[in-house]
Amino acid sequence: EAQVTQNPRYLITVTGKKLTVTCSQNMNHEYMSWYRQDPGLGLRQIYYSMNVEVTDKGDVPEGYKVSRKEKRNFPLILESPSPNQTSLYFCASSLFGNNSPLHFGNGTRLTVT
Amino acid sequence: AQSVSQHNHHVILSEAASLELGCNYSYGGTVNLFWYVQYPGQHLQLLLKYFSGDPLVKGIKGFEAEFIKSKFSFNLRKPSVQWSDTAEYFCAVNLFSGGYNKLIFGAGTRLAVHP
């Protein structure tokens, strides 16, 4: 089954404790992206990647890192999480090109205390 | 800067009522337009999309949307809503730049349908 898999689904952590949210897709998509969803703000792009070893900042990259060592994986790294990073995070992927809609993962709800 | 505006943050309807959710975008170039739906506790799912051709597009579950280029709008409609349509709806505009998809989302409209 074609899908985007995120883990974990729920995560509660404390300020400053490094964490990684994994994202994997099995559709051989070149493009992958991370979004955070906050009430009243919709989805805002954190980072995106057009292919292996090619990543770039989205609209709200501060406090986040990503890597794209393999085509299928695009982990989101929070080196030192802070409470303002409490949010719902979505990973998405698509084929390269403007006619390809994004496929979303199930989301990761992160709480930083 | 490019942006997407959804006019209503919360909409409450009774079953069988008609629905129209507004969406306007600010970008002068070529765009692809999407509506995504997020049911409670779930991820976003594509409802419908417009790339070119007939500006009236039909999606899943009886939804449709009309692209009006002169008004920069892409409103979502459904003639008769059901309780199962309770969800949050996101309008999104795809800007094709440098070969990749930059998808800009609206803030979302939370729809509650009462039986």
Side-chain angles (χ1 to χ4, degrees):
Chain A
E1 180 189 349
Q3 59 185 1
V4 179
T5 304
Q6 288 178 235
N7 279 298
R9 288 293 307 276
Y10 301 92
L11 180 58
I12 301 173
T13 189
V14 296
T15 299
K17 186 176 181 182
K18 181 180 178 180
L19 65 91
T20 299
V21 184
T22 63
C23 174
S24 180
Q25 50 91 7
N26 61 1
M27 296 168 279
N28 204 35
H29 286 168
E30 299 93 356
Y31 180 80
M32 297 185 76
S33 181
W34 275 102
Y35 292 86
R36 60 176 288 173
Q37 182 182 2
D38 301 288
L41 297 175
L43 278 81
R44 294 177 293 168
Q45 190 178 48
I46 303 170
Y47 268 93
Y48 63 90
S49 169
M50 288 191 279
N51 215 323
V52 176
E53 302 291 2
V54 181
T55 64
D56 210 343
K57 296 178 180 178
D59 298 315
V60 288
E62 295 78 20
Y64 304 95
K65 283 174 53 177
V66 292
S67 71
R68 189 90 183 270
K69 293 185 170 58
E70 308 162 280
K71 197 171 186 178
R72 62 183 293 125
N73 296 324
F74 190 46
L76 179 69
I77 303 154
L78 283 72
E79 294 272 4
S80 182
S82 61
N84 65 11
Q85 292 178 297
T86 292
S87 186
L88 179 58
Y89 292 86
F90 287 100
C91 179
S93 72
S94 75
L95 291 170
F96 206 63
N98 66 331
N99 283 347
S100 303
L102 286 168
H103 297 258
F104 284 88
N106 285 332
T108 296
R109 187 168 290 282
L110 171 66
T111 302
V112 184
T113 60
Chain B
Q2 304 94 356
S3 65
V4 178
S5 299
Q6 292 183 237
H7 311 302
N8 309 100
H9 289 176
H10 292 92
V11 173
I12 301 173
L13 294 174
S14 298
E15 275 193 316
S18 64
L19 170 72
E20 181 159 3
L21 302 182
C23 173
N24 285 88
Y25 63 94
S26 61
Y27 180 67
T30 301
V31 295
N32 295 332
L33 299 157
F34 302 84
W35 276 97
Y36 283 87
V37 60
Q38 185 178 31
Y39 297 103
Q42 295 188 26
H43 62 92
L44 279 79
Q45 302 171 43
L46 183 65
L47 201 54
L48 49 77
K49 62 190 178 193
Y50 172 79
F51 290 152
S52 64
D54 188 345
L56 184 63
V57 291
K58 295 192 183 298
I60 60 172
K61 303 184 181 185
F63 285 91
E64 64 179 31
E66 185 175 13
F67 171 50
I68 303 179
K69 190 174 182 180
S70 60
K71 294 185 178 180
F72 298 90
S73 70
F74 190 55
N75 292 355
L76 181 71
R77 299 194 293 249
K78 185 170 184 178
S80 176
V81 294
Q82 300 172 309
W83 176 79
S84 58
D85 293 324
T86 295
E88 190 158 16
Y89 293 82
F90 292 92
C91 180
V93 174
N94 186 21
L95 310 177
F96 184 55
S97 175
Y100 73 91
N101 300 325
K102 180 170 178 66
L103 201 59
I104 300 175
F105 285 86
T109 298
R110 198 177 292 272
L111 171 67
V113 180
H114 293 289

